[in-house]
Amino acid sequence: ISWMMGLPWKPRPAPVQPVISATAKINEGRYAVQHPQGDLRFYEVRKPDQGKWKGFVFLSQLSGENHISIRDKHEREVIYNLIALDVVGSLKLYGQKIGRCGHCSKQLTDAVSREFGIGPVCRKSLGV
C-alpha cells in the first residue's frame, strides 16, 4: 500500500463533450467506434424492457466471444458519446467489420447487406 501511496496522482482526462441524453439516442445493438486510444473497438448496448433490470442501459465491450462489462462511469460516458455522434454509422461499421448485422446480430448473407453493414429487415425497421 505504501508503494501505491507513493505513486504520482493523475487526474482522469476530461470527458468527451457530453451529448444531451446520449443513451436516449442509442438503440439496443452492436456498435464499432474509434476509441480515443486510437484503436477500433466493438460494443454491445442492451436495454432490457422487462424484469428486474427494466429501464437500465448496459454496455459491454465485445472481444471474440467475450462480453466485458464497462463498469467505469467515465468510460461508459465516453463510449456512449462516441456512439451517439453517429449511431447508424457505428451500427454499419460493426456490420462491415464483423459480417453480422449491428442491430440484430444475424449473419449478413448478401453483398448489399455486407456492404451496408445492416440486414434488409433491420434497415427497414430502422428506416435507413
Side-chain angles (χ1 to χ4, degrees), residues 22-79:
T23 57
K25 297 168 105 178
I26 302 170
N27 294 322
E28 274 194 326
R30 286 138 210 89
Y31 301 89
V33 293
Q34 197 70 35
H35 195 271
Q37 292 181 351
D39 54 337
L40 184 66
R41 295 190 185 179
F42 304 98
Y43 297 94
E44 178 181 37
V45 174
R46 291 183 300 113
K47 294 182 172 184
D49 58 357
Q50 56 185 317
K52 177 179 177 180
W53 301 109
K54 180 179 180 176
F56 285 82
V57 180
F58 297 97
L59 178 68
S60 301
Q61 182 176 349
L62 304 176
S63 179
E65 294 180 5
N66 300 319
H67 292 232
I68 304 160
S69 294
I70 307 296
R71 296 175 188 247
D72 181 77
K73 182 179 179 180
H74 175 264
E75 179 73 7
R76 279 195 317 262
E77 183 178 315
V78 168
I79 301 306

Side-chain angles (χ1 to χ4, degrees), residues 5 12-13 15 17 26 28 36 39 44 46 56 65 68 79-80 84 97 104 108-109 112-113 121 123-124:
M5 302 266 306
R12 286 187 177 176
Q17 183 71 355
I26 302 170
E28 274 194 326
D39 54 337
E44 178 181 37
R46 291 183 300 113
F56 285 82
E65 294 180 5
I68 304 160
I79 301 306
Y80 287 142
K97 296 292 183 181
C104 69
L108 300 172
T109 56
V112 174
S113 295
V121 174
R123 283 196 306 263
K124 188 175 181 179

